[in-house]
Amino acid sequence: MTAKHKATVLIVDDDQGHRTILLALINGWGYKAAGADDGTKAVTLAREKPFDLILMDVRMADMGGIEALKEIKAYNPSIPILIMTAYSNVESAVEAIKAGAYDYLTKPLDFDVLRLTMERALEHVSLKAENQELRQRLVSSFDPKNIVGRSEAMRRLMETVAMVAPSEATVLITGQSGTGKELIAKAIHFNSPRKNGPLVTVNCAALSETLLESELFGHEKGAFTGADKRREGRFMQANKGTIFLDEIGEISSAMQAKLLRVIQEREIQRVGSDNALRVDVRIVAATNRDLKAEVEAGRFRQDLYYRLNVMTLTVPPLRDRGEDVPLLAMHFLHKFAEANRKVAKGFTPQAMDMLLKYDWPGNVRELENAVERAVVLMPGDFVTEKELPLSVNQEKAHEEQNANQLIERGPAEILPLEAVEREAILAALEVTGGNKTEAAKQLGITRKTLLAKLQR
Ligand SMILES: Nc1ncnc2c1ncn2[C@@H]1O[C@H](COP(=O)(O)OP(=O)(O)OP(=O)(O)O)[C@@H](O)[C@H]1O
Ligand SMILES: [Mg+2]
């Protein structure tokens, strides 16, 4: 830890004399130390305050050190815990390491060793955090320049994003499917003070009610059939970061009630547990439904709607921002050309015209897919109208439709046999210039039969 931030240390020991010495010593080394005299208090304190390091005695009257360690690790897996144990009790040290302790120290403590071990533990954590941050930057494709758009609507939207991102406010993102709601959610997270924390995405529509509850809040071992281990929920994973609840309009009314509680109390309960756990998350939700209409129809709780709706961002459909189409098309062209190792210089004027005329019901995602397909198909350096899907290439679609209609007309349209016969005879007479013998030959009947039919 650097000088700009004094690392905080929690000392857990039921021996008051020992605790006092450690407090004085550790504060003297430039840390900010606090004490707890048993495991239960340690768990409570660690839950209230995010300590950087915990120093924990094993044998304590109330809750033992290892049990406390497990409790703390369960909701804060990254906190380093150093165990202090008597030399005669090294088995407990092994058990502690297995349960996730960073290291152990034997008593009586060698203070130089203690100091070094503490420094190492803190450095380890900050390195790990840095790595995580780096990894996250690589994994997330988010970068403001990846959000393409020069239209008035997009510019205004990005201004609002810049305004709400730094706050803690819950944000609701609405917009049709494929408009870029998830991208906006990422923009909010990575422009917020929580950007170094996790961004956890949950698609609420993808899971059944029971699964969604345990996915979001976690469950205890044995909470239901198949729950053979305790499981951390997505809310806890998002601690100190942002949770993105996608397709929020799809959740059941029971889940709506549970979610409302989390938003109000910032506490969650694992399935199968009565304990409330504090969680520090920012909530961003998205839906392609009109939530207000859902509220009016009685399908969505009004109180939850108000909680979510603190800040609403609406991503406009692509057809309302036509000037973004060429920009987005070029953006995706470069992206997929690179991915497919192809040279792609642009679109022919006819192809671009079609992109501009089309109304994009599937929005940016549909455009992205159309361009990806075109890049794969294109033989030259430019995307032509031939590589565009039928939905976009209306002319080609019409031609094909006509062709299909011609093929379909015969079997589809049923005429009485007599009429068909009449048409055939007239056609034969026409092509043969009225020559009955020739006409009969072409029709595959005798001249006599033809004459009889003509009579009729
Ligand atoms: N302005 C933009 N600039 C660049 N890429 C974009 C933009 N908007 C959307 N995209 C891309 O379009 C695709 C769809 O966007 P996204 O998944 O964010 O949409 P969505 O609104 O969440 O859709 P759905 O409602 O279907 O989940 C993604 O690949 C995204 O990267
Ligand atoms: Mg989405």
Side-chain angles (χ1 to χ4, degrees):
M1 286 284 145
T2 49
K4 60 183 155 134
H5 166 69
K6 260 191 184 182
T8 51
V9 180
L10 178 64
I11 300 159
V12 192
D13 197 327
D14 60 350
D15 178 335
Q16 203 205 330
H18 202 230
R19 208 171 57 237
T20 313
I21 294 172
L22 283 175
L23 273 171
L25 198 65
I26 289 174
N27 277 324
W29 292 337
Y31 299 110
K32 215 171 139 209
D37 61 8
D38 66 47
T40 318
K41 280 200 195 110
V43 172
T44 315
L45 270 178
R47 202 172 278 181
E48 283 165 1
K49 264 195 232 157
F51 287 95
D52 295 310
L53 181 98
I54 297 177
L55 199 57
M56 177 112 67
D57 192 18
V58 170
R59 251 186 231 158
M60 286 178 294
D62 181 10
M63 183 195 277
I66 293 181
E67 205 180 321
L69 176 142
K70 286 181 184 162
E71 287 268 317
I72 293 169
K73 280 276 167 182
Y75 65 87
N76 187 353
S78 62
I79 188 166
I81 302 181
L82 292 178
I83 290 287
M84 303 181 281
T85 179
Y87 187 69
S88 58
N89 192 15
V90 274
E91 315 86 75
S92 66
V94 175
E95 199 192 335
I97 299 281
K98 276 194 192 148
Y102 176 76
D103 206 346
Y104 70 92
L105 301 156
T106 47
K107 291 204 278 194
L109 293 180
D110 176 331
F111 295 137
D112 288 335
V113 173
L114 170 65
R115 191 173 178 176
L116 276 175
T117 314
M118 283 175 59
E119 277 169 11
R120 207 155 37 83
L122 287 166
E123 200 171 326
H124 177 78
V125 184
S126 68
L127 267 182
K128 226 162 99 179
E130 247 169 60
N131 280 343
Q132 237 163 19
E133 193 191 331
L134 277 179
R135 219 175 315 135
Q136 204 156 44
R137 277 206 206 134
L138 288 178
V139 169
S140 118
S141 63
F142 173 73
D143 179 338
K145 74 171 188 293
N146 280 343
I147 298 189
V148 176
R150 213 182 286 152
S151 59
E152 179 62 24
M154 277 309 278
R155 269 206 301 248
R156 243 183 295 134
L157 179 64
M158 292 315 290
E159 267 168 31
T160 321
V161 167
M163 206 177 69
V164 301
S167 79
E168 288 286 305
T170 301
V171 179
L172 178 66
I173 306 169
T174 63
Q176 290 175 3
S177 184
T179 45
K181 296 186 291 296
E182 186 158 358
L183 209 59
I184 296 296
K186 286 185 189 167
I188 292 170
H189 173 75
F190 287 106
N191 284 294
S192 79
R194 294 170 175 268
K195 62 173 180 283
N196 294 337
L199 169 64
V200 173
T201 297
V202 185
N203 183 346
C204 300
L207 298 166
S208 70
E209 181 174 333
T210 342
L211 283 179
L212 182 61
E213 183 176 5
S214 115
E215 177 80 9
L216 287 176
F217 308 131
H219 62 245
E220 292 296 335
K221 181 176 171 174
F224 48 83
T225 344
D228 50 357
K229 280 203 286 251
R230 170 192 272 188
R231 181 159 182 270
E232 202 69 277
R234 308 289 267 161
F235 262 97
M236 216 28 116
Q237 286 171 2
N239 200 27
K240 307 244 180 291
T242 308
I243 192 163
F244 174 47
L245 302 173
D246 204 0
E247 316 268 12
I248 190 90
E250 313 304 312
I251 63 175
S252 69
S253 60
M255 279 307 292
Q256 290 175 25
K258 290 192 169 124
L259 208 55
L260 178 68
R261 221 198 112 208
V262 180
I263 296 179
Q264 281 171 339
E265 329 262 327
R266 299 283 156 176
E267 273 180 358
I268 56 157
Q269 254 174 0
R270 291 199 190 101
V271 177
S273 159
D274 294 331
N275 283 347
L277 306 173
R278 289 239 119 227
V279 44
D280 171 20
V281 288
R282 186 202 196 160
I283 298 170
V284 176
T287 179
N288 52 25
R289 291 192 187 229
D290 179 351
L291 270 199
K292 204 166 166 221
E294 295 293 301
V295 170
E296 276 152 20
R299 285 189 294 263
F300 202 85
R301 291 179 72 114
Q302 186 168 42
D303 42 12
L304 179 59
Y305 172 66
Y306 286 137
R307 287 280 172 175
L308 291 172
N309 198 28
V310 179
M311 277 304 308
T312 301
L313 301 183
T314 303
V315 192
L318 187 55
R319 77 171 68 93
D320 292 351
R321 42 181 164 119
E323 54 184 305
D324 289 343
V325 170
L327 288 178
L328 283 162
M330 285 307 287
H331 169 77
F332 293 132
L333 185 73
H334 292 312
K335 176 175 154 187
F336 293 115
E338 199 176 77
N340 290 286
R341 288 189 214 88
K342 275 198 160 181
V343 181
K345 295 193 178 138
F347 297 81
T348 63
Q350 295 93 315
M352 187 52 89
D353 225 41
M354 282 174 184
L355 297 183
L356 285 167
K357 267 195 210 133
Y358 186 54
D359 73 347
W360 303 108
N363 294 294
V364 184
R365 180 175 296 115
E366 187 181 5
L367 175 59
E368 182 172 14
N369 292 341
V371 174
E372 178 173 19
R373 177 178 180 276
V375 169
V376 172
L377 296 176
M378 68 198 279
D381 294 352
F382 287 85
V383 173
T384 74
E385 72 269 27
K386 287 204 197 77
E387 286 93 52
L388 296 178
L390 286 183
S391 49
V392 180
N393 188 339
Q394 293 295 332
E395 284 159 32
K396 191 158 99 187
H398 281 312
E399 275 165 28
E400 297 217 353
Q401 209 177 16
N402 289 340
N404 286 342
Q405 265 174 6
L406 280 180
I407 295 164
E408 276 165 15
R409 208 176 115 202
E413 202 175 316
I414 295 170
L415 294 170
L417 262 186
E418 233 177 70
V420 178
E421 208 174 52
R422 202 182 122 89
E423 290 281 341
I425 291 169
L426 289 176
L429 284 173
E430 201 180 314
V431 280
T432 56
N435 183 333
K436 287 173 191 132
T437 313
E438 189 53 33
K441 216 164 138 194
Q442 293 221 359
L443 288 165
I445 50 174
T446 61
R447 189 168 184 274
K448 225 170 114 189
T449 314
L450 175 64
L451 288 175
K453 286 188 190 294
L454 276 174
Q455 208 114 56
R456 252 188 279 145

